[in-house]
Amino acid sequence: MASSAFERGRRRSPATSIAIYLGVLVFAVWILLPVWYLVVSSLITPSQLGIKPFPLVPSSITFDNYFAVLFGNTGGKGIGSTDMGTRLVPAIGQSLLVSSVLVVLNLFIAGAAAYGLSRYPFRGARAFELSVIATRIVPAIAIIGPFFVAFRVIGVLNTPWALVISYNVFTLPLAIMILKNYFDQLPREIEEAAKIDGATRLQTLWIIIVPIARPGLVAAGVLIFLEAWSEFFYALVLTNQLTVPPLLAGFQSVQQFNWNALAAATVMSMLPPTVLVLIFQRHVVGALTAGVGK
Amino acid sequence: MAGATDLLGPKADRAFGLKLVAPAMIILIVLLALPTLLTVVYSLHDVPASGSSFGPFVGIENFTIIFSSPVFWRSAQVTLTFAIGFVVLSTVIGLAMAMLLNQRFIGRGLARALLIIPWATPWLVIGILWKWFADGSVGGLNAVLMMLGLTSDYHPFLSDPNTALPITVLAAVWRQASFAGILLLAGLQTLPEELNEAAQLDGANWWQRFSNITLPWLRPVLITVTVFNVIYAFLQFDVVFAMTQGGPGDTTQVLSVLIYRQLFVNTNIGLGSALAVILGVVALIGGLTIVRLFYRREMH
């Protein structure tokens, strides 16, 4: 095996190698250039930002923008007239709260449903599963009207609950699909062995299946977190800039605001999902591709 | 005894399954089926701005108004242009990235990690990032074009009606191509290398191997990716809202932005809901068409 891999590696012509490394260079520029622009913008002063062409390699950097958006005004050091410094941290807190509550709730509810669909199919189970998949096509924008009206009546507009409730529209079907595919891959002998040992169905699920299914549950949890953290439209309509995305969008429309500070806030908003996905990369990609092509 | 429990088993199993699924089912009926139904009902009424009642029943009048409105047709045209550019570019760039990252080269692990960054980035943040990246006075895109000697001065891409839509498409593609690339790369990794080697020994060139081995192997993944791309294309709101809010003029006013305007700026719930119904049907038809198209080709 080792020698054949060695031969394969050698068979590549120099021209092919050059083409591949050129391709990698183009790929790296395509991904990194916008990100690099954002990070540099967050690390320079407004006067550096005004230089033409934009200093892709700045002569000096500063962390003032980050201090400003995290801790409020830093002695008038160019934050403009925005109050981002007092609002970003609470918004990050609300985003974390909404996302975490949803992850926990959905893992229980979707986990139970996915396991039931996978192991104990009942009449209509397949139809339910297909309609869960079909909900991905329903435009979330299309059905926000009833939520807005109902939430105004029961008085949860502008609270985290408005989002915890409404986000189920996209997170719950996603979690059910991911977990159903995952449970389908686990061998059925597990249940049979547990049954012989005298365990009840619920005991089997809780004591045996849940620990085995941890990678799938982690992947589903990360994906739920990602969707909830990223959601913008419902947060825009149902709350007054409660979470991070509508807050960032709000700053864009503030007059006299400053791209350096917004860039720092934007970097902050990208960190949690990116770090989470990079840590659980294997699990997440595995879960996403498990049901593909079925 | 054993026979009796065997007969009872499946029935008790089915009941247990239903019990496990029931909470999710109830939540989805209340939060998804009901609002969807209500939206359809709204679309047939002249709903008062307060939304406190359905208002008078008007039948298909909202739809007649929409279909005779040039604003709608202009928006439909923008949506379709956006969707075609988005679906084609996301799929093609995603496939190219997947094939590249499936080769052996130094730093491949790092490159694969990079592929994940755009996908993990919230849609809205992609809109904000690209809005400033393409900015006419402080943007990075202009800086690069200038340094490469392609332009002599900064160009305001997003306030130019000719470039606003292509740039919003590009921004959305930046994210979605990564998603396509992740799935397609996973598909490529399961392709047995022996298939390509055997074809190579038989004298098949790169293009023949690509079209006769790689593409057919990837077909199921490609279907999934394309269906996702079509749905995200028609439902895209965040990127356009952050970058242009539909402007300049109406050059980037996709249907989702038009729905937002009708529902929350003009507070015309009936008309907005009718637009939403139309968008939902279009997204559904788009997704189904892709599935049909691919499967039909498979039959030949």
Side-chain angles (χ1 to χ4, degrees):
Chain A
M1 266 325 269
S3 75
S4 91
F6 180 60
E7 279 160 27
R8 263 182 228 147
R10 273 185 57 174
R11 214 170 43 211
R12 208 156 76 187
S13 68
T16 313
S17 285
I18 291 173
I20 286 174
Y21 280 99
L22 272 178
V24 173
L25 184 72
V26 172
F27 166 80
V29 170
W30 161 254
I31 301 272
L32 283 180
L33 190 61
V35 178
W36 181 254
Y37 167 74
L38 173 71
V39 173
V40 170
S41 298
S42 75
L43 292 173
I44 59 177
T45 62
S47 57
Q48 282 173 292
L49 189 64
I51 301 171
K52 278 187 186 182
F54 178 86
L56 284 170
V57 184
S59 51
S60 66
I61 60 165
T62 167
F63 288 96
D64 283 357
N65 300 310
Y66 286 91
F67 288 120
V69 295
L70 286 176
F71 310 117
N73 261 320
T74 50
K77 273 188 197 162
I79 178 73
S81 62
T82 71
D83 58 347
M84 202 178 317
T86 55
R87 296 186 61 189
L88 182 67
V89 173
I92 289 177
Q94 296 284 4
S95 276
L96 281 175
L97 174 75
V98 169
S99 309
S100 315
V101 171
L102 261 168
V103 168
V104 174
L105 279 178
N106 277 344
L107 282 185
F108 272 103
I109 297 165
Y115 183 70
L117 291 174
S118 171
R119 288 302 199 268
Y120 302 105
F122 48 92
R123 202 161 292 143
R126 184 72 189 148
F128 175 71
E129 198 191 330
L130 288 176
S131 42
V132 165
I133 295 171
T135 60
R136 296 301 287 186
I137 299 174
V138 175
I141 294 168
I143 60 171
I144 197 162
F147 279 109
F148 185 75
V149 174
F151 286 167
R152 193 165 51 188
V153 172
I154 60 173
V156 292
L157 278 184
N158 203 24
T159 69
W161 300 112
L163 304 182
V164 168
I165 296 169
S166 58
Y167 284 4
N168 280 290
V169 168
F170 14 89
T171 57
L172 200 55
L174 176 79
I176 294 175
M177 280 159 60
I178 298 277
L179 289 171
K180 162 77 167 50
N181 285 328
Y182 191 81
F183 286 132
D184 281 349
Q185 291 179 326
L186 295 180
R188 280 165 193 278
E189 286 76 31
I190 300 169
E191 276 93 348
E192 282 157 24
K195 201 174 173 186
I196 291 167
D197 288 345
T200 67
R201 297 186 194 85
L202 212 56
Q203 281 172 333
T204 310
L205 171 56
W206 193 243
I207 301 169
I208 299 168
I209 298 293
V210 168
I212 294 176
R214 196 175 292 161
L217 291 169
V218 167
V222 171
L223 288 169
I224 297 165
F225 186 93
L226 227 61
E227 290 241 334
W229 181 272
S230 307
E231 206 288 327
F232 165 60
F233 185 69
Y234 276 46
L236 172 75
V237 172
L238 302 177
T239 73
N240 179 23
Q241 302 179 352
L242 191 71
T243 55
V244 177
L247 184 69
L248 294 181
F251 284 130
Q252 287 222 114
S253 49
V254 175
Q255 283 225 319
Q256 264 207 320
F257 101 109
N258 151 341
W259 164 234
N260 300 98
L262 180 63
T266 305
V267 170
M268 303 290 306
S269 79
M270 277 176 72
L271 281 179
T274 310
V275 169
L276 208 59
V277 170
L278 287 177
I279 292 175
F280 297 109
Q281 192 176 339
R282 267 231 189 115
H283 289 149
V284 172
V285 172
L288 271 181
T289 50
V292 160
K294 272 190 184 164
Chain B
M1 264 311 271
T5 42
D6 277 352
L7 281 174
L8 275 175
K11 200 174 180 187
D13 279 355
R14 271 181 283 163
F16 184 63
L18 191 58
K19 258 184 233 164
L20 287 177
V21 177
M25 206 183 263
I26 292 166
I27 290 175
L28 288 180
I29 288 171
V30 173
L31 295 183
L32 245 164
L34 207 63
T36 307
L37 199 71
L38 271 171
T39 301
V40 175
V41 174
Y42 280 151
S43 74
L44 301 172
H45 289 78
D46 184 12
V47 187
S50 68
S52 53
S53 70
F54 288 140
F57 178 80
V58 294
I60 58 162
E61 199 186 293
N62 287 323
F63 292 92
T64 335
I65 293 172
I66 289 168
F67 287 131
S68 60
S69 151
V71 176
F72 166 75
W73 289 110
R74 174 78 187 116
S75 176
Q77 189 195 339
V78 171
T79 309
L80 197 65
T81 313
F82 181 94
I84 292 172
F86 177 83
V87 172
V88 171
L89 286 177
S90 298
T91 314
V92 171
I93 295 176
L95 182 61
M97 293 196 297
M99 292 185 63
L100 180 71
L101 298 189
N102 198 37
Q103 306 295 322
R104 274 182 220 88
F105 59 85
I106 301 160
R108 185 169 72 170
L110 185 68
R112 286 182 178 172
L114 281 187
L115 183 66
I116 294 201
I117 294 178
W119 172 69
T121 306
W123 281 109
L124 177 88
V125 167
I126 283 166
I128 292 177
L129 167 48
W130 275 80
K131 178 193 166 139
W132 292 95
F133 185 57
D135 188 76
S137 56
V138 299
L141 184 59
N142 273 306
V144 172
L145 292 177
M146 212 162 132
M147 281 187 256
L148 292 175
L150 293 172
T151 52
S152 55
D153 200 7
Y154 273 33
H155 183 77
F157 291 104
L158 291 177
S159 44
D160 177 345
N162 294 316
T163 49
L165 189 59
I167 294 288
T168 51
V169 170
L170 199 64
V173 165
W174 186 70
R175 192 259 189 196
Q176 194 66 10
S178 274
F179 175 72
I182 292 166
L183 292 193
L184 290 167
L185 178 60
L188 280 176
Q189 286 169 335
T190 61
L191 175 71
E193 204 150 349
E194 290 71 28
L195 277 182
N196 263 321
E197 281 169 8
Q200 210 161 13
L201 286 178
D202 289 343
N205 63 28
W206 182 86
W207 175 252
Q208 284 167 328
R209 277 178 282 141
F210 174 72
S211 58
N212 293 321
I213 297 173
T214 311
L215 271 188
W217 182 269
L218 286 179
R219 176 172 283 132
V221 194
L222 269 173
I223 294 176
T224 311
V225 163
T226 314
V227 170
F228 268 113
N229 289 351
V230 168
I231 293 170
Y232 277 110
F234 284 114
L235 307 190
Q236 186 52 246
F237 174 82
D238 300 11
V239 169
V240 178
F241 187 81
M243 289 178 79
T244 62
Q245 305 218 332
D250 56 6
T251 47
T252 59
Q253 181 163 272
V254 290
L255 280 173
S256 59
V257 172
L258 189 62
I259 292 174
Y260 171 77
R261 289 244 169 97
Q262 282 302 324
L263 283 177
F264 299 103
V265 181
N266 305 343
T267 54
N268 196 330
I269 298 176
L271 218 52
S273 298
L275 276 169
V277 170
I278 293 169
L279 180 61
V281 171
V282 169
L284 185 69
I285 292 173
L288 288 179
T289 309
I290 294 299
V291 175
R292 262 282 182 71
L293 223 66
F294 274 94
Y295 277 121
R296 196 168 285 170
R297 204 182 291 165
E298 201 168 28
M299 275 185 246
H300 281 290

